[in-house]
Amino acid sequence: MKRPAPHATPDGGGRLLVPLYVHPAAHPGEWDALVAAAPGLHAVVLNVADGPGSVPDPAFGDVAGRLRRAGVRLLGYVDTGYGRRPPRAVAADVLRHRRWYGVDGVFFDQAAAAAASLPRYRGLVTAARLLGARTVVLNPGTHPDPGYAALADLLVTFEGTWEEYRRAGVPAWTADHPPGRFCHLVHAVPPDRTAQVARTAAARGAGVHCAVPGTGANPWCSVPRTGDRALGSAR
């Protein structure tokens, strides 16, 4: 099956990768908004219980099917514990996501950034691809050793607040790669700064981003905004 084609967001600020970490039964409106906004999405991260959970969740199965039918790329959330989690446990999570929710790829969260961990992540990425993951995203949340760019389809090189993002820099080595290889995830974004996040990501060489207003322990509890409106809402 072919991958969904890349799309631009409505404000022309690049593609959106959306980590929405809320349950569909408790927050159906947010998931409905993602389905409605499917043409502007690069991917959606499914996070059932800091991973796929211990048993299939029918609510997530339903929303995963709706997003797939809308042409959205789905990524299963897998915690790698900064390289400390056993590879067997990581692979088991990838397999559960594939079997239970039909995800297209994997979102390796809490990824290490140091060169010393490259061999371990090379093994994790290889295992994920052997299990059927067509897209592999690594999220160190910062710029890692340049060697990681050769492992993943997409690197999340920033995850943090808007105030932190304003001051962040970009290392020179990123210019050797196309923007589609990098993603910036920004939370605590004031509504009037959403478009600025998109422009800043593009200026810093990141072709994929997300900007949400959320704060606290789980800032990824709401859909992103594009321009002056919430994703999926009517103009």
Side-chain angles (χ1 to χ4, degrees):
M1 186 172 73
K2 292 175 65 178
R3 293 182 183 176
H7 297 287
T9 62
D11 61 3
R15 296 171 291 164
L16 293 176
L17 184 150
V18 182
L20 181 58
Y21 299 163
V22 294
H23 197 278
H27 299 267
E30 285 83 347
W31 290 97
D32 290 344
L34 292 188
V35 175
L41 302 181
H42 174 73
V44 170
V45 181
L46 291 184
N47 185 1
V48 180
D50 290 333
S54 57
V55 295
D57 186 314
F60 272 98
D62 176 70
V63 78
R66 292 172 60 205
L67 287 165
R68 282 199 309 273
R69 289 190 294 273
V72 177
R73 180 190 286 112
L74 298 178
L75 305 173
Y77 177 98
V78 177
D79 183 2
T80 68
Y82 299 105
R84 295 186 296 269
R85 194 164 179 231
R88 187 182 296 272
V90 172
D93 277 0
V94 175
L95 186 58
R96 291 188 187 104
H97 274 301
R98 290 276 297 147
R99 287 178 173 173
W100 296 346
Y101 307 110
V103 301
D104 308 284
V106 62
F107 183 88
F108 280 142
D109 198 24
Q110 298 200 109
S117 295
L118 277 168
R120 176 171 287 264
Y121 279 88
R122 187 174 294 109
L124 295 180
V125 170
T126 298
R129 296 198 191 282
L130 289 173
L131 291 171
R134 294 190 296 276
T135 301
V136 177
V137 179
L138 290 177
N139 179 23
T142 188
H143 286 93
D145 181 90
Y148 285 89
L151 301 184
D153 299 291
L154 185 68
L155 277 178
V156 179
T157 54
F158 179 88
E159 181 178 356
T161 69
W162 160 245
E163 289 300 324
E164 293 167 335
Y165 192 52
R166 292 174 60 191
R167 301 187 297 270
V170 181
W173 66 263
T174 59
D176 296 331
H177 303 277
R181 300 295 299 279
F182 300 111
C183 174
H184 295 166
L185 301 179
V186 190
H187 54 86
V189 179
D192 62 346
R193 297 299 181 187
T194 302
Q196 189 174 348
V197 171
R199 292 193 299 269
T200 302
R204 293 176 179 174
V208 184
H209 78 284
C210 188
V212 299
T215 60
N218 177 23
W220 308 110
C221 59
S222 61
V223 295
R225 299 180 66 86
T226 59
D228 61 353
R229 65 191 181 97
L231 192 69
S233 64
R235 290 188 181 276

